Every structure is written in structure tokens, then in C-alpha cells.
Amino acid sequence: MPASQSRARARDRGGVPHRAELPPLSQPPRAPPEPRGAPRRGPGPAPPAPPGDAARERRQSQQLPEEDCMQLNPSFRGIAFNSLLAIDICMSKRLGVCAGRAASWASARSMVKLVGITGHGIPWVGGTLLCLVKSSSLAGQEVLMNLLLALLLDIMTVAGVQKLIKRRGPYETSPSLLDYLAMDVYAFPAGHASRAAMVSKFFLNHLVLAVPLRILLVLWAFCVGLSRVMIGRHHITDVISGFIIGYFQFRLVELVWMSSNTCQMLISAW
């Protein structure tokens, strides 16, 4: 019996592999070996994050969902405004047929610009002053003085609003020398359109004109506003806003209408 046991032990040592032993259930699992070169961590817990970083992360987690909701769910007013703005820019560029040398109506650019010059502030102010000097009737001087007041009011109003808004035109067109003199540099509102609307309404109220002349006066104001869009200087909304501003300027001048005595006093002081 002892000889057989010794032979069995010798046979096991000779090449028969031993079976793997299972660890006991009470022993905790061993951690995987760390790679070479990795910094060794101590047995203690990880150091807590600074209170400032934790507060910052918590604040960001609270703000991000709200910002995402604002971006994904914009207001109806914002969507409508952006849509109208995109339509305005698209239509204005399509109507800018005389905007450049490569435009479809480039040959008519000089004629269209001439129509726009008829609504410029400098020729109107100069012409009104010349007629005021040449006029000898009290009624004519009264009308011309109030017209001069309306023109100066228009120039200052348009220059102030343009300086406040600073909107560029649909095309990169540089203003002319007359535009710089009249402080009509930006696009919104269209100064030529406001002046044409104000002057046409002024003449329709204070001059006795036949029906064909009245129709021509209204068409002239419309063509002046359209010419500014055709040369790429203004958007459609700029021209429409100019017409509205010109009408309200006329109403304001009517409210503060200067009498003949006041006009005579100003002319004598001048």
C-alpha cells in the first residue's frame, strides 16, 4: 500500500497537471494589475472636488436644459420676424436690377439714379431757398418757409434714425457725395422715399393742381422709392418705412404750421 501511494505521487510529479483551485467565497476579488508606468494610488478614497468646481458644474447642469429649450423652441414672434426679414432681403435683391455693372438692367442705371436724385434733400433745400428769395407774395413765402421747415425736419429725422439703426443695403454700394452731405449714409429708412412722400403730400394739400398733375405727383413719389431699390441702395422695407415717416412728418408740420407773421419775422431776421 505505501509502495502504490509512492508510485502515484511520482506519476503526478512526472507531468500530470494539477487542477486549478477555486478561491474561497469569503475572499474578496483581486483587482486587475495596473499597467506599467501608471501612477499608483493610495488605499484611501479619492479627494473630493473643490466646492467652487462643484457649484459651477451644478449651475451649468441647471442652465443647459433651459438654453437648449430656448434654442429648440423659439418664440413665434422671432420666427415671424426672421421669416419676414429673409423675404425682404430676397425680394430686394431680385428688384436690384441696376445694382451693378453685371446686372440685367445695368444700361439703365444712370437714368434710374437720375430719378432718385429728384428726391434728394440737397436739391430740394437749395431750390426752396432760391424760390424763397425770389418770392414777393406773403402767401408764397409762408408756404415756402413751412416747406423749408419740413425739409430740414426730414433730413434730421432720417439722419438720426439711420445713425441709430445702422442697417446696410442689400448690395455693397457706397453712398455718393450728396448722400454724405445730406447724412443719408445707411439704408433704414430711405431718405429719398420719406422726402418724396412728404413733399408730394405737402403739394397736394397746399397747391391747386389738376387731377393729372396730382396723379403724376403720386407716381413720382412711388418711382423715387422704387429707384432706390433698383440700384441696390435700400430694401423694400426701408422704402415703405420712408413713406410712412414722410407722411407723419407732413402731419407734424401741419400741426406746427407757421403763420405769415412768423414767416415774415424769420425772413427779416435772416
Side-chain angles (χ1 to χ4, degrees):
M1 190 66 182
S4 62
Q5 291 178 354
S6 62
R7 283 195 300 268
R9 290 175 182 173
R11 189 169 55 252
D12 293 339
R13 293 193 194 99
V16 178
H18 296 281
R19 288 180 297 179
E21 297 180 358
L22 296 176
L25 297 177
S26 59
Q27 183 178 356
R30 296 180 180 179
E34 296 182 356
R36 293 182 180 180
R40 295 183 177 180
R41 293 181 299 178
D53 297 342
R56 191 181 302 110
E57 292 178 359
R58 185 164 57 253
R59 187 164 55 250
Q60 290 178 357
S61 63
Q62 292 176 358
Q63 291 179 356
L64 283 178
E66 184 178 356
E67 293 176 357
D68 293 340
C69 291
M70 291 176 63
Q71 293 177 0
L72 295 176
N73 301 318
S75 62
F76 175 77
R77 186 180 302 176
I79 295 175
F81 178 77
N82 292 332
S83 301
L84 291 176
L85 187 62
I87 294 173
D88 177 36
I89 295 174
C90 179
M91 294 298 296
S92 301
K93 287 189 174 182
R94 287 191 177 185
L95 288 176
V97 292
C98 304
R101 296 180 179 179
S104 56
W105 289 17
S107 58
R109 178 177 173 83
S110 58
M111 184 181 301
V112 175
K113 289 184 69 175
L114 182 61
V115 174
I117 291 175
T118 59
H120 204 282
I122 300 300
W124 274 102
V125 172
T128 304
L129 286 174
L130 182 61
C131 294
L132 186 60
V133 171
K134 298 293 184 179
S135 178
S136 58
S137 64
L138 297 179
Q141 292 176 356
E142 179 183 352
V143 172
L144 290 172
M145 279 297 297
N146 285 278
L147 178 60
L148 181 62
L149 173 64
L151 291 171
L152 295 177
L153 175 65
D154 175 75
I155 291 176
M156 290 187 295
T157 302
V158 171
V161 177
Q162 285 188 359
K163 192 67 175 178
L164 182 64
I165 303 299
K166 293 183 179 181
R167 186 187 188 188
R168 298 290 182 179
Y171 292 92
E172 294 295 333
T173 57
S174 58
S176 62
L177 179 61
L178 290 177
D179 293 333
Y180 281 108
L181 291 177
M183 296 178 290
D184 189 7
V185 180
Y186 296 100
F188 184 88
H192 293 65
S194 66
R195 200 166 301 112
M198 185 267 297
V199 168
S200 61
K201 185 63 176 175
F202 190 93
F203 284 170
L204 290 174
N205 273 40
H206 297 285
L207 294 181
V208 180
L209 300 173
V211 176
L213 291 178
R214 289 176 173 269
I215 295 175
L216 288 177
L217 195 59
V218 174
L219 289 177
W220 166 77
F222 175 77
C223 291
V224 168
L226 181 61
S227 67
R228 304 301 289 174
V229 180
M230 292 176 66
I231 64 174
R233 185 70 174 79
H234 294 280
H235 299 87
I236 298 177
T237 52
D238 302 335
V239 174
I240 295 175
S241 302
F243 286 153
I244 296 173
I245 291 175
Y247 174 77
F248 282 106
Q249 288 175 157
F250 163 76
R251 299 299 301 176
L252 180 60
V253 171
E254 289 291 314
L255 290 176
V256 297
W257 184 268
M258 293 185 295
S259 62
S260 179
N261 295 331
T262 305
C263 295
Q264 290 300 317
M265 183 178 61
L266 292 175
I267 291 173
S268 61
W270 178 42

